[in-house]
Amino acid sequence: MNRISYAKQDINSEDIRVVNSVLKSRFLTTGPKIVEFEKKILDFFGPKHAIAVSSATSALHISCLSLGLKKNDYLWTTPISFVASANCALYCGAKVDFVDIDSNNFNISIKKLEEKLKSTPKSKLPKIVIIVHLSGHPVDLKQVKKLSKIYKFKIIEDASHAAGSTYNGSRIGNCKYSDVCVFSFHPVKIITTGEGGAILTNSKKIFNKARVLRSHGIFMKKQKKFFCQNYDMKYLGYHYRMNEMQAALGISQLLRINKFVRVRNKISDYYKKNIKSSRIKFQEIINNSTSSMHLFIIRLPNFYRNRIYKILKENFIDTNFHYIPIYRHSYYKKFKFKINSFIESERYFKEAITLPLYFSLEKKIQMKIVKIINKVVR
Ligand SMILES: *Cc1c(COP(=O)(O)O)cnc(C)c1O
């Protein structure tokens, strides 16, 4: 019997056709498909500028650099995220600190963010706060924006989960309340390019800087006199480009994003309606927003959580865990974070589990998962 995984990409014959046709074309990288994909990203998400890159991790890195993050600056984020949300600060030589999560929506707690900003000496206030829309459930961006004006920090949305989510009637990605928004197109995410990511912004300045950092920090010169000597490296940049096959796949996947999000929400609604136990807590969503439903996370007492993991596994169904608090990773030990500053994250660590959720997840598997969980927690 095939194992059921927690996530799975959806690739159709059209996806395959467009990637194949790129392989037969003149450009395999830095060609028309990248330009087209970036245009389609603008059309769908609504910001002024978009840059396709090799991953969300590289997007976060050059976004931080473009916002001027440097040695000894501070960057704050949530501990319940993928390590990339914090590592980008370390790449820039900056320091990371965390703000505990909200017990109901599992995102960064706005209340704790405000308290921490209030009680932090000026010299240690963050230059950037990265908010993460966990599972695609939006963080209350207006509240974060308000704080950013008082405490003078920049906002990056790590929207790796949130392609297709909405906040206050418009799409996450329009950067109405942030400086930069970053997406991931890894195969487990809402749409995929194999590997890939994007930087979205309304700032021409950030756009210009990030675009050059994507490709070695090299500028093309306009002068024609020294033919073939018309390029100049101004900054220490990187090679974070996406290629044409990836961009073609992205264009094709973007045509189905609304369908993907709709089906994910349908499966989530089925889970919520049919998993019946007062021991189980679902992730709440704030008012005036919708979720892409990248992940379906439940929380329940540790004993039952561990049993659900084990019994689903015995039934060839794999679950997952999002995420181990970042400060708990071995590499982060040296920063000596105090676990008791993150009471809710620590509880979450003991209680959370991610159930399978993807576009082609069969109804009979959904029913089986519900049945097993209800039996365990009865
Ligand atoms: C997947 C993910 C990333 C990293 O994405 P890549 O495209 O694999 O680099 C960063 N942050 C979050 C929250 C993610 O889920």
Side-chain angles (χ1 to χ4, degrees), residues 54-58 60 81-85 132 158-161 183-186 188-189 195-197 294 323:
S54 56
S55 67
T57 304
S58 52
L60 287 166
S81 185
F82 187 54
V83 290
S85 309
V132 180
D158 181 346
S160 295
H161 300 180
F183 288 116
S184 171
F185 308 127
H186 181 276
V188 300
K189 310 290 161 82
E195 295 280 3
H294 166 55
Y323 293 91

Side-chain angles (χ1 to χ4, degrees), residues 223-236:
Q223 71 191 60
K224 301 226 173 69
K225 202 168 153 198
F226 302 103
F227 181 62
C228 289
Q229 298 178 343
N230 62 341
Y231 66 95
D232 180 39
M233 190 191 116
K234 281 196 192 160
Y235 312 120
L236 182 62

Side-chain angles (χ1 to χ4, degrees), residues 1 25 121 197 214 261 267-268 270 307 321 331 339 362:
M1 199 176 158
S25 76
R214 167 177 72 175
V261 169
I267 299 169
S268 307
Y270 175 80
R307 269 193 79 70
F321 180 74
Y331 185 82
I339 280 185
E362 288 174 82

Side-chain angles (χ1 to χ4, degrees), residues 196-207:
I199 299 170
L200 287 69
T201 182
N202 288 327
S203 155
K204 181 92 186 172
K205 201 172 144 212
I206 295 168
F207 169 69

Side-chain angles (χ1 to χ4, degrees), residues 25 35 67 106 137 166 180 187 191 204 263 267 351 371 378:
S25 76
V35 176
L67 288 170
F106 317 159
H137 284 39
T166 64
V180 177
I191 61 165
K204 181 92 186 172
V263 169
I267 299 169
E351 298 173 355
K371 204 170 146 197
R378 190 177 46 203

Side-chain angles (χ1 to χ4, degrees), residues 15 41 92 109 135 141 152 198 230 266 312 317 332 375:
D15 293 335
I41 289 173
C92 301
S109 159
S135 315
L141 288 161
K152 311 273 177 251
N230 62 341
K266 206 171 149 207
L312 285 173
I317 296 166
Y332 276 80
K375 210 167 149 194

